[in-house]
Amino acid sequence: MKALVYTAPKTVELMEMDQPEIQSATQVKVKIYGSGICGTDLNVIKGKIFANAGTVIGHEGVGTVVEVGERVRSVRVGDRVIVDPTQACGVCHFCRMSQFCYCENFEEHQVGMTIHGTFAEYYVGEEKYMYKIPDTMSWETAMLIEPLGCVLNTFLKANIKPSDAVLVLGSGAIGSLCQLVSKRLGRLTVGTEPDDYRRSFASKIADHVFHPAEMSVDSVLAVNNHRKFDIVVDAVGNQLHMALEYIGKGGRIIPMGYNEQYEVSIRPTDFINNGVNIIGQVAVHQIVGMALQFAQSMPELERMITSRVALEHYEQAFNETMGYHMRTGEPRPMSSVKTILVC
């Protein structure tokens, strides 16, 4: 089978591999239809997130069941399924407390980083991580369920209310999904984005979208009745200093973008005096089922897919979402918000 494999820092290759085979009675083999490109995948390619050499990357996979183990009951051959990549050992302290994202052995179960992922023609995994796709749901919408789950989980942890005004810093794939969910659950949605293409895309979702260079406290507050925001999401990973500037009293800050090099200084008294909370629980906590239900009332979700690229043209797919050429580093204009690789 064809598979996209991480081979060395900043290097991925399309390779021929043997198809994975079912190894236990509770496993399921899936013919992958496609997988969404996530910021985590891009950070693996950039060398910012560790992956085992020789590992098939990708984790937002959907496909059709082609074989099941003898003890599998919830899915059958021919069913369309989503692969839940939030996997864990199941026996450590945090797993026993149903906090699977904090699994003490999580590094051994990271789909697309330490175990084979879904940028491949076939995938084998445990039945408990397979979710049937409703007959009325498109493949494209199904590929957004895992990132939608991350966003939905975070907003629920932030206790979003219908009266809340939300500022989303950054309008990439996660930022745009945050804006989409905010439009459903909150009162006002404001975004930021420096890239012309993505800013134009976000303007079709959010109530207002600003170029960061043209944004000021006065201009942003003017669209929110001269009040700061109830929720601010850093969907970039290096905008927490901006979130601190725009968050209102009693507000919640959500850091969603991932950048290990970024640091910001805070004054604890500001949080005490203003009642501000930082919500760090952004990863999915077994919420794929809820996201599946939520997505069925969101026909606009499918429009989040802005590019479909065949697996063998993966370089094109990564280049259009990274803002530069993955091999040469040459700057390139972004031309997609959410790209999927189709097998």
Side-chain angles (χ1 to χ4, degrees):
M1 69 171 185
K2 293 193 291 286
L4 192 57
V5 179
Y6 176 84
T7 55
K10 300 184 180 181
T11 305
V12 292
E13 298 179 29
L14 189 66
M15 303 175 64
E16 283 290 335
M17 300 178 64
D18 292 336
Q19 291 184 21
E21 300 298 339
I22 286 177
Q23 301 294 321
S24 74
T26 57
Q27 287 188 328
V28 176
K29 183 173 182 177
V30 179
K31 172 69 174 69
I32 295 295
Y33 169 83
S35 295
I37 294 178
C38 174
T40 300
D41 303 317
L42 299 181
N43 281 328
V44 167
I45 294 168
K46 294 173 184 177
K48 293 182 177 181
I49 293 180
F50 173 80
N52 286 335
T55 301
V56 177
I57 62 173
H59 61 274
E60 294 180 356
V62 300
T64 303
V65 175
V66 294
E67 185 181 350
V68 297
E70 60 185 17
R71 290 173 54 195
V72 171
R73 297 292 180 267
S74 64
V75 296
R76 300 181 300 177
V77 172
D79 285 344
R80 298 188 308 148
V81 295
I82 295 167
V83 177
D84 182 356
T86 305
Q87 304 184 9
C89 73
V91 296
C92 72
H93 167 76
F94 291 103
C95 286
R96 296 295 197 192
M97 299 299 291
S98 297
Q99 295 178 311
F100 301 103
C101 279
Y102 306 132
C103 173
E104 294 172 348
N105 303 300
F106 192 53
E107 66 277 1
E108 300 174 12
H109 302 272
Q110 295 192 68
V111 175
M113 286 172 276
T114 57
I115 61 175
H116 287 322
T118 57
F119 284 151
E121 293 182 280
Y122 291 90
Y123 171 85
V124 169
E126 290 292 324
E127 173 189 14
K128 62 184 176 181
Y129 298 123
M130 305 290 175
Y131 288 76
K132 287 179 64 173
I133 300 170
D135 293 339
T136 56
M137 183 175 289
S138 70
W139 285 118
E140 287 72 21
T141 297
M143 269 182 271
L144 289 165
I145 295 301
E146 191 273 340
L148 175 66
C150 291
V151 171
L152 186 59
N153 171 74
T154 302
F155 274 106
L156 292 176
K157 292 291 194 303
N159 192 29
I160 187 171
K161 300 185 290 294
S163 58
D164 282 341
V166 180
L167 173 62
V168 181
L169 301 168
S171 300
I174 285 293
S176 296
L177 270 174
C178 285
Q179 293 164 19
L180 202 63
V181 172
S182 172
K183 284 285 289 183
R184 278 298 188 97
L185 303 180
R187 171 180 63 84
L188 175 74
T189 302
V190 178
T192 69
E193 176 57 45
D195 180 75
D196 291 342
Y197 172 84
R198 290 186 170 182
R199 190 169 63 255
S200 175
F201 183 86
S203 67
K204 300 171 185 175
I205 303 172
D207 298 303
H208 304 275
V209 183
F210 290 89
H211 190 294
E214 299 171 351
M215 187 173 69
S216 67
V217 172
D218 289 341
S219 64
V220 174
L221 299 190
V223 303
N224 188 29
N225 302 319
H226 299 284
R227 293 181 56 249
K228 291 190 175 183
F229 290 85
D230 303 293
I231 295 176
V232 180
V233 181
D234 173 10
V236 182
N238 59 10
Q239 297 292 300
L240 200 58
H241 60 288
M242 297 295 291
L244 292 169
E245 184 174 358
Y246 290 108
I247 195 67
K249 290 184 178 181
R252 289 84 73 201
I253 295 173
I254 304 172
M256 288 203 73
Y258 198 87
N259 186 334
E260 286 192 333
Q261 285 71 49
Y262 176 70
E263 295 180 355
V264 65
S265 298
I266 63 172
R267 290 186 297 183
T269 52
D270 288 344
F271 290 85
I272 296 170
N273 294 337
N274 296 318
V276 171
N277 288 304
I278 294 181
I279 310 298
Q281 298 170 298
V282 300
V284 178
H285 291 257
Q286 269 48 59
I287 201 170
V288 170
M290 183 184 293
L292 261 173
Q293 298 297 316
F294 186 62
Q296 291 183 73
S297 69
M298 299 179 70
E300 67 272 28
L301 192 62
E302 187 173 336
R303 296 199 297 271
M304 288 292 302
I305 303 295
T306 52
S307 181
R308 298 163 178 79
V309 179
L311 182 63
E312 55 264 34
H313 300 307
Y314 67 93
E315 285 196 30
Q316 170 195 331
F318 291 138
N319 291 341
E320 67 186 21
T321 58
M322 293 175 79
Y324 60 86
H325 195 284
M326 65 175 290
R327 296 194 185 276
T328 67
E330 177 188 358
R332 301 181 63 133
M334 290 185 181
S335 57
S336 180
V337 174
K338 185 67 173 183
T339 298
I340 60 174
L341 288 175
V342 180
C343 294

